[in-house]
PDB file of all heavy atoms in Angstrom:
ATOM      1  N   THR A 403      45.062  29.103 -25.145  1.00  0.00           N
ATOM      2  CA  THR A 403      46.470  28.776 -24.802  1.00  0.00           C
ATOM      3  C   THR A 403      46.756  27.297 -24.902  1.00  0.00           C
ATOM      4  O   THR A 403      47.928  26.888 -24.793  1.00  0.00           O
ATOM      5  CB  THR A 403      46.740  29.224 -23.374  1.00  0.00           C
ATOM      6  OG1 THR A 403      45.852  28.539 -22.399  1.00  0.00           O
ATOM      7  CG2 THR A 403      46.510  30.745 -23.210  1.00  0.00           C
ATOM      8  N   VAL A 404      45.741  26.458 -25.010  1.00  0.00           N
ATOM      9  CA  VAL A 404      45.914  24.987 -25.047  1.00  0.00           C
ATOM     10  C   VAL A 404      45.212  24.435 -26.259  1.00  0.00           C
ATOM     11  O   VAL A 404      44.024  24.731 -26.510  1.00  0.00           O
ATOM     12  CB  VAL A 404      45.356  24.315 -23.776  1.00  0.00           C
ATOM     13  CG1 VAL A 404      45.467  22.784 -23.830  1.00  0.00           C
ATOM     14  CG2 VAL A 404      46.109  24.876 -22.530  1.00  0.00           C
ATOM     15  N   SER A 405      45.906  23.616 -27.006  1.00  0.00           N
ATOM     16  CA  SER A 405      45.310  22.922 -28.138  1.00  0.00           C
ATOM     17  C   SER A 405      44.477  21.725 -27.721  1.00  0.00           C
ATOM     18  O   SER A 405      44.982  20.926 -26.855  1.00  0.00           O
ATOM     19  CB  SER A 405      46.357  22.504 -29.189  1.00  0.00           C
ATOM     20  OG  SER A 405      45.753  21.818 -30.251  1.00  0.00           O
ATOM     21  N   ARG A 406      43.305  21.580 -28.245  1.00  0.00           N
ATOM     22  CA  ARG A 406      42.481  20.347 -27.908  1.00  0.00           C
ATOM     23  C   ARG A 406      42.713  19.215 -28.895  1.00  0.00           C
ATOM     24  O   ARG A 406      42.205  18.157 -28.773  1.00  0.00           O
ATOM     25  CB  ARG A 406      41.013  20.755 -27.781  1.00  0.00           C
ATOM     26  CG  ARG A 406      40.837  21.674 -26.600  1.00  0.00           C
ATOM     27  CD  ARG A 406      39.438  22.282 -26.507  1.00  0.00           C
ATOM     28  NE  ARG A 406      38.507  21.211 -26.025  1.00  0.00           N
ATOM     29  CZ  ARG A 406      37.289  21.505 -25.571  1.00  0.00           C
ATOM     30  NH1 ARG A 406      36.879  22.763 -25.499  1.00  0.00           N
ATOM     31  NH2 ARG A 406      36.448  20.552 -25.217  1.00  0.00           N
ATOM     32  N   ILE A 407      43.415  19.542 -30.039  1.00  0.00           N
ATOM     33  CA  ILE A 407      43.998  18.503 -30.874  1.00  0.00           C
ATOM     34  C   ILE A 407      45.426  18.350 -30.360  1.00  0.00           C
ATOM     35  O   ILE A 407      46.237  19.263 -30.367  1.00  0.00           O
ATOM     36  CB  ILE A 407      44.017  18.913 -32.343  1.00  0.00           C
ATOM     37  CG1 ILE A 407      42.627  19.299 -32.816  1.00  0.00           C
ATOM     38  CG2 ILE A 407      44.625  17.806 -33.212  1.00  0.00           C
ATOM     39  CD1 ILE A 407      41.603  18.175 -32.818  1.00  0.00           C
ATOM     40  N   THR A 408      45.724  17.191 -29.824  1.00  0.00           N
ATOM     41  CA  THR A 408      46.942  16.993 -29.014  1.00  0.00           C
ATOM     42  C   THR A 408      47.832  15.865 -29.590  1.00  0.00           C
ATOM     43  O   THR A 408      47.317  14.952 -30.215  1.00  0.00           O
ATOM     44  CB  THR A 408      46.595  16.646 -27.553  1.00  0.00           C
ATOM     45  OG1 THR A 408      45.934  15.449 -27.521  1.00  0.00           O
ATOM     46  CG2 THR A 408      45.698  17.748 -26.962  1.00  0.00           C
ATOM     47  N   ALA A 409      49.098  15.964 -29.270  1.00  0.00           N
ATOM     48  CA  ALA A 409      49.986  14.869 -29.607  1.00  0.00           C
ATOM     49  C   ALA A 409      49.697  13.640 -28.737  1.00  0.00           C
ATOM     50  O   ALA A 409      49.817  12.518 -29.221  1.00  0.00           O
ATOM     51  CB  ALA A 409      51.444  15.332 -29.382  1.00  0.00           C
ATOM     52  N   ALA A 410      49.327  13.871 -27.521  1.00  0.00           N
ATOM     53  CA  ALA A 410      49.022  12.758 -26.608  1.00  0.00           C
ATOM     54  C   ALA A 410      47.922  13.258 -25.648  1.00  0.00           C
ATOM     55  O   ALA A 410      47.862  14.415 -25.253  1.00  0.00           O
ATOM     56  CB  ALA A 410      50.229  12.317 -25.792  1.00  0.00           C
ATOM     57  N   LEU A 411      46.972  12.349 -25.330  1.00  0.00           N
ATOM     58  CA  LEU A 411      45.872  12.708 -24.425  1.00  0.00           C
ATOM     59  C   LEU A 411      46.384  12.953 -23.038  1.00  0.00           C
ATOM     60  O   LEU A 411      47.351  12.309 -22.558  1.00  0.00           O
ATOM     61  CB  LEU A 411      44.806  11.627 -24.403  1.00  0.00           C
ATOM     62  CG  LEU A 411      44.141  11.276 -25.736  1.00  0.00           C
ATOM     63  CD1 LEU A 411      43.090  10.207 -25.483  1.00  0.00           C
ATOM     64  CD2 LEU A 411      43.522  12.484 -26.369  1.00  0.00           C
ATOM     65  N   SER A 412      45.761  13.867 -22.307  1.00  0.00           N
ATOM     66  CA  SER A 412      46.053  14.108 -20.912  1.00  0.00           C
ATOM     67  C   SER A 412      45.209  13.314 -19.960  1.00  0.00           C
ATOM     68  O   SER A 412      45.365  13.389 -18.739  1.00  0.00           O
ATOM     69  CB  SER A 412      45.899  15.619 -20.594  1.00  0.00           C
ATOM     70  OG  SER A 412      44.534  16.038 -20.683  1.00  0.00           O
ATOM     71  N   GLY A 413      44.243  12.570 -20.520  1.00  0.00           N
ATOM     72  CA  GLY A 413      43.332  11.731 -19.703  1.00  0.00           C
ATOM     73  C   GLY A 413      43.082  10.443 -20.412  1.00  0.00           C
ATOM     74  O   GLY A 413      43.777  10.039 -21.361  1.00  0.00           O
ATOM     75  N   PRO A 414      42.063   9.727 -19.982  1.00  0.00           N
ATOM     76  CA  PRO A 414      41.755   8.363 -20.544  1.00  0.00           C
ATOM     77  C   PRO A 414      41.188   8.382 -21.937  1.00  0.00           C
ATOM     78  O   PRO A 414      40.694   9.435 -22.425  1.00  0.00           O
ATOM     79  CB  PRO A 414      40.736   7.832 -19.552  1.00  0.00           C
ATOM     80  CG  PRO A 414      40.026   9.068 -19.049  1.00  0.00           C
ATOM     81  CD  PRO A 414      41.072  10.114 -18.957  1.00  0.00           C
ATOM     82  N   VAL A 415      41.285   7.242 -22.592  1.00  0.00           N
ATOM     83  CA  VAL A 415      40.640   7.102 -23.905  1.00  0.00           C
ATOM     84  C   VAL A 415      39.191   6.722 -23.703  1.00  0.00           C
ATOM     85  O   VAL A 415      38.857   5.679 -23.205  1.00  0.00           O
ATOM     86  CB  VAL A 415      41.340   6.002 -24.743  1.00  0.00           C
ATOM     87  CG1 VAL A 415      40.630   5.787 -26.047  1.00  0.00           C
ATOM     88  CG2 VAL A 415      42.805   6.369 -24.983  1.00  0.00           C
ATOM     89  N   THR A 416      38.244   7.616 -24.020  1.00  0.00           N
ATOM     90  CA  THR A 416      36.846   7.353 -23.920  1.00  0.00           C
ATOM     91  C   THR A 416      36.380   6.574 -25.144  1.00  0.00           C
ATOM     92  O   THR A 416      35.678   5.593 -25.029  1.00  0.00           O
ATOM     93  CB  THR A 416      36.045   8.676 -23.816  1.00  0.00           C
ATOM     94  OG1 THR A 416      36.603   9.447 -22.713  1.00  0.00           O
ATOM     95  CG2 THR A 416      34.570   8.405 -23.629  1.00  0.00           C
ATOM     96  N   THR A 417      36.764   7.051 -26.337  1.00  0.00           N
ATOM     97  CA  THR A 417      36.351   6.370 -27.562  1.00  0.00           C
ATOM     98  C   THR A 417      37.631   6.031 -28.359  1.00  0.00           C
ATOM     99  O   THR A 417      38.473   6.900 -28.591  1.00  0.00           O
ATOM    100  CB  THR A 417      35.434   7.272 -28.411  1.00  0.00           C
ATOM    101  OG1 THR A 417      34.245   7.529 -27.649  1.00  0.00           O
ATOM    102  CG2 THR A 417      35.068   6.562 -29.708  1.00  0.00           C
TER     103      THR A 417
END
Side-chain angles (χ1 to χ4, degrees):
T403 62
V404 175
S405 178
R406 295 174 72 166
I407 304 297
T408 65
L411 299 182
S412 66
V415 176
T416 305
T417 299

